[in-house]
Amino acid sequence: QLVESGGGSVQAGGSLRLSCAASGLPVSRCCMGWFRQAPGKEREGVAAIDKFGSATYTYSVMGRFTISKDNVENTLYLQMNSLKPEDTAMYYCAADFYNLQLARSYNYWGQGTQVTVS
């Protein structure tokens, strides 16, 4: 089970930190990802981190977002800085035992947390 938290409303230029608590899935053995979906748009991969800690980002968030994970707490994070209105979306956490990076074919998904930037 994956449970996201940390979403909210923020002004442009602000920051948010998303968390994804995993139960029954060891993040140390999984590739973990953050995806987002805005109304009327397809779900897109934002950032992913493999079991070794190597991160991948979509171009639009490079230098602004940082993905990380805590293997002891079994939690995934997404630090989002310099937020823009175009970052507004529902953000989802995902996990898989295969290294899927930003592909959307993850097996395990959370319910999402809303991020609104005005």
Side-chain angles (χ1 to χ4, degrees):
Q1 182 181 11
L2 301 173
V3 179
E4 303 95 334
S5 61
S9 296
V10 64
Q11 290 189 336
S15 298
L16 285 173
R17 187 192 195 203
L18 305 184
S19 299
C20 172
S23 58
L25 285 170
V27 300
S28 61
R29 294 176 52 201
C30 290
C31 179
M32 307 288 295
W34 286 101
F35 291 74
R36 66 186 179 187
Q37 188 167 18
K41 295 188 176 181
E42 290 189 350
R43 190 171 297 189
E44 66 165 341
V46 175
I49 186 166
D50 68 16
K51 63 181 181 180
F52 302 109
S54 180
T56 302
Y57 299 92
T58 192
Y59 181 78
S60 63
V61 308
M62 284 182 181
R64 300 189 298 123
F65 290 11
T66 302
I67 189 171
S68 63
K69 61 178 180 173
D70 186 323
N71 291 338
V72 174
E73 295 294 327
N74 215 40
T75 301
L76 178 72
Y77 300 100
L78 185 68
Q79 178 66 44
M80 305 187 295
N81 299 328
S82 302
L83 282 161
K84 304 175 180 180
E86 51 263 44
D87 294 319
T88 295
M90 184 71 77
Y91 282 71
Y92 298 90
C93 169
D96 203 284
F97 291 104
Y98 289 98
N99 187 10
L100 297 176
Q101 297 191 10
L102 299 181
R104 289 178 287 182
S105 50
Y106 281 70
N107 266 314
Y108 306 99
W109 292 86
Q111 293 300 307
T113 185
Q114 178 68 37
V115 171
T116 303
V117 185
S118 59

